[in-house]
Amino acid sequence: MDIPFLGPWRKRHAAASAAKAPPPGPAREGLAELLAECELLRARAESADVTLDDTPASLEALDQLQPGWRDDPEELPWLGNDAGLYLGTVITRTVPGAQWRLAPDGTPLVALDSGREIDVVAAGTSWAEDGTPELSQMYAEVDEG
């Protein structure tokens, strides 16, 4: 049976489900490694003697950094992006079932088993701009449920 409106509906839903998560295996691992690089944030942390070891404790240490980047309008968005990607890295490596997902527009999100999706880059940008929410607070909210 040919129902004209089902063709576009199927295409939209097929595209949406294909965008849910990267395929298992090397592609997913490669994406996770790429998103975990966060070079600018890692350099800032290293210069402040903060070790970024992909643990919740490192998020607490980042929350304590002096926000000198706020004086540099060129560095601010890059550092915020890195902070969000690092937050996502900690979540995906320590919260069971959490995984990276790319939104249709390419925005990296963290998908939780509960179905909740977190725009970690937006959270990191907000943290870099005004310190809220704290990265450790965002992690605690995710880890609780």
Side-chain angles (χ1 to χ4, degrees):
M1 179 196 273
D2 182 31
I3 302 174
F5 68 86
L6 283 182
W9 181 86
R10 284 186 183 135
K11 285 181 188 174
R12 273 195 326 269
H13 284 77
S17 56
K20 275 274 188 222
R28 180 174 295 185
E29 293 165 14
L31 175 65
E33 291 305 313
L34 180 65
L35 295 175
E37 287 181 4
C38 315
E39 290 182 36
L40 179 59
L41 181 69
R42 290 183 187 278
R44 276 284 189 168
E46 184 178 320
S47 69
D49 293 325
V50 171
T51 302
L52 299 185
D53 56 1
D54 302 343
T55 64
S58 63
L59 295 173
E60 292 174 16
L62 284 174
D63 287 336
Q64 302 305 311
L65 289 179
Q66 292 297 318
W69 57 83
R70 291 186 188 142
D71 298 332
D72 186 344
E74 289 186 26
E75 184 176 347
L76 182 65
W78 292 104
L79 192 92
N81 186 71
D82 277 9
L85 294 177
Y86 184 71
L87 171 63
T89 297
V90 173
I91 293 169
T92 58
R93 292 184 177 173
T94 61
V95 174
Q99 61 183 345
W100 286 108
R101 183 183 95 66
L102 295 178
D105 68 356
T107 301
L109 306 171
V110 172
L112 304 175
D113 276 347
S114 66
R116 180 178 171 205
E117 293 181 339
I118 304 159
D119 184 345
V120 289
V121 172
T125 300
S126 178
W127 172 82
E129 289 173 352
D130 54 22
T132 58
E134 290 184 335
L135 299 174
S136 58
Q137 177 187 357
M138 283 290 299
Y139 177 83
E141 290 173 11
V142 168
D143 194 36
E144 287 175 354

